[in-house]
Amino acid sequence: MNTVVAGITYRALLGRRRIILLLLLPAALIGLAVLLLLVGGGDQRSAVLLMQNFAIGTMLPLLGLITGTGVIAPEIDDGTIIHLMSKPISRPMIAQTKFLVAASLLALFAAVPTYFSAWLLVRNEDGIATGFALGALVAGFAYAAVFLLLGVITRHAVTIGIIYALVWESLVGNLLPGARKFSIQQWAQSIADQISGSPFLKTDVSLGFAVPAIIIVTAGAVFWAGRRLRAFSLTGDE
């Protein structure tokens, strides 16, 4: 990890309007948890549904899109990436550092609020809070890598990312049993199910598939992003 690149990326991402979205989505999750408590919905079934449908199913992929594309796509669009690539820093190192920044932000804005919201509803019952938080953390690595790669290979990363997050992850991945194996949010739920003993949490994807899939997708996407950065010339052309 290059600390200079990391510092520049943190300042650029957290100083823009994206910080508002990074805060709004976790705030919405916590607000929903508080609302459920007020209406008497502080039970395991409600907690699991909230974690599956909002924390993992909606908030995590959208935050992954915001951070994953946000760490590099704006720099490519406005040409400032060229100044960074003109420095004596390897292109793979730039990609790896950008990934680590996105992953750390997902840990803070996705995994932590997920744990806190589940804890508000059911405390530590059956490991629900811990399971979903760990699932969000690990799956967040995959989202960060995938959306980082999108930000490198196309100028339409946000549009494609939204389609992927809303159509494939939220719709196809939930409705078609065969497609669930290839859904990152389903991998997150598989990890949560492994840790949690709640009878309300059942997944179709085995842990033996989910963990290797996350590792392969994460490592492969970061590696590919580094390779693609090597194709950029100092004039900004791919």
Side-chain angles (χ1 to χ4, degrees), residues 162-224:
I162 290 174
I163 294 173
Y164 168 78
L166 297 182
V167 176
W168 179 261
E169 285 288 298
S170 298
L171 186 60
V172 178
N174 282 324
L175 297 180
L176 300 181
R180 291 174 184 168
K181 274 195 167 185
F182 306 99
S183 169
I184 296 176
Q185 67 173 263
Q186 294 296 327
W187 302 342
Q189 292 185 40
S190 176
I191 293 173
D193 186 29
Q194 181 67 23
I195 295 175
S196 172
S198 174
F200 299 101
L201 176 57
K202 299 297 178 184
T203 59
D204 298 327
V205 182
S206 69
L207 188 70
F209 181 89
V211 172
I214 288 175
I215 294 173
I216 291 171
V217 167
T218 302
V222 174
F223 175 78
W224 190 3

Side-chain angles (χ1 to χ4, degrees), residues 21-177:
L21 294 176
L22 289 174
L23 291 171
L24 281 178
L25 287 167
L29 173 62
I30 295 172
L32 288 171
V34 172
L35 181 61
L36 282 173
L37 278 177
L38 294 177
V39 298
D43 55 82
Q44 284 197 19
R45 183 176 181 276
S46 298
V48 169
L49 286 175
L50 179 63
M51 295 302 105
Q52 286 179 319
N53 296 324
F54 190 85
I56 301 296
T58 301
M59 182 186 74
L60 183 61
L62 290 179
L63 287 176
L65 175 63
I66 294 167
T67 57
T69 60
V71 293
I72 198 165
E75 295 179 0
I76 294 176
D77 289 340
D78 61 24
T80 56
I81 190 70
I82 304 304
H83 300 291
L84 182 59
M85 292 194 299
S86 66
K87 307 297 181 183
I89 306 172
S90 71
R91 308 290 174 85
M93 177 60 70
I94 293 174
Q96 292 162 19
T97 302
K98 297 285 189 181
F99 161 73
L100 290 174
V101 169
S104 66
L105 291 175
L106 283 174
L108 177 61
F109 291 102
V112 173
T114 295
Y115 179 87
F116 182 66
S117 299
W119 185 87
L120 278 177
L121 291 170
V122 292
R123 297 300 186 267
N124 292 318
E125 288 182 17
D126 288 337
I128 292 176
T130 302
F132 275 105
L134 183 59
L137 176 66
V138 177
F141 297 158
Y143 277 125
V146 168
F147 290 126
L148 168 68
L149 176 61
L150 270 180
V152 173
I153 65 177
T154 177
R155 293 183 181 274
H156 306 288
V158 174
T159 301
I160 296 174
I162 290 174
I163 294 173
Y164 168 78
L166 297 182
V167 176
W168 179 261
E169 285 288 298
S170 298
L171 186 60
V172 178
N174 282 324
L175 297 180
L176 300 181

Side-chain angles (χ1 to χ4, degrees), residues 2-24:
N2 186 287
T3 56
V4 174
V5 175
I8 293 172
T9 306
Y10 277 121
R11 287 194 297 271
L13 186 59
L14 297 177
R16 298 178 177 179
R17 288 177 296 178
R18 286 180 179 84
I19 186 63
I20 299 176
L21 294 176
L22 289 174
L23 291 171
L24 281 178

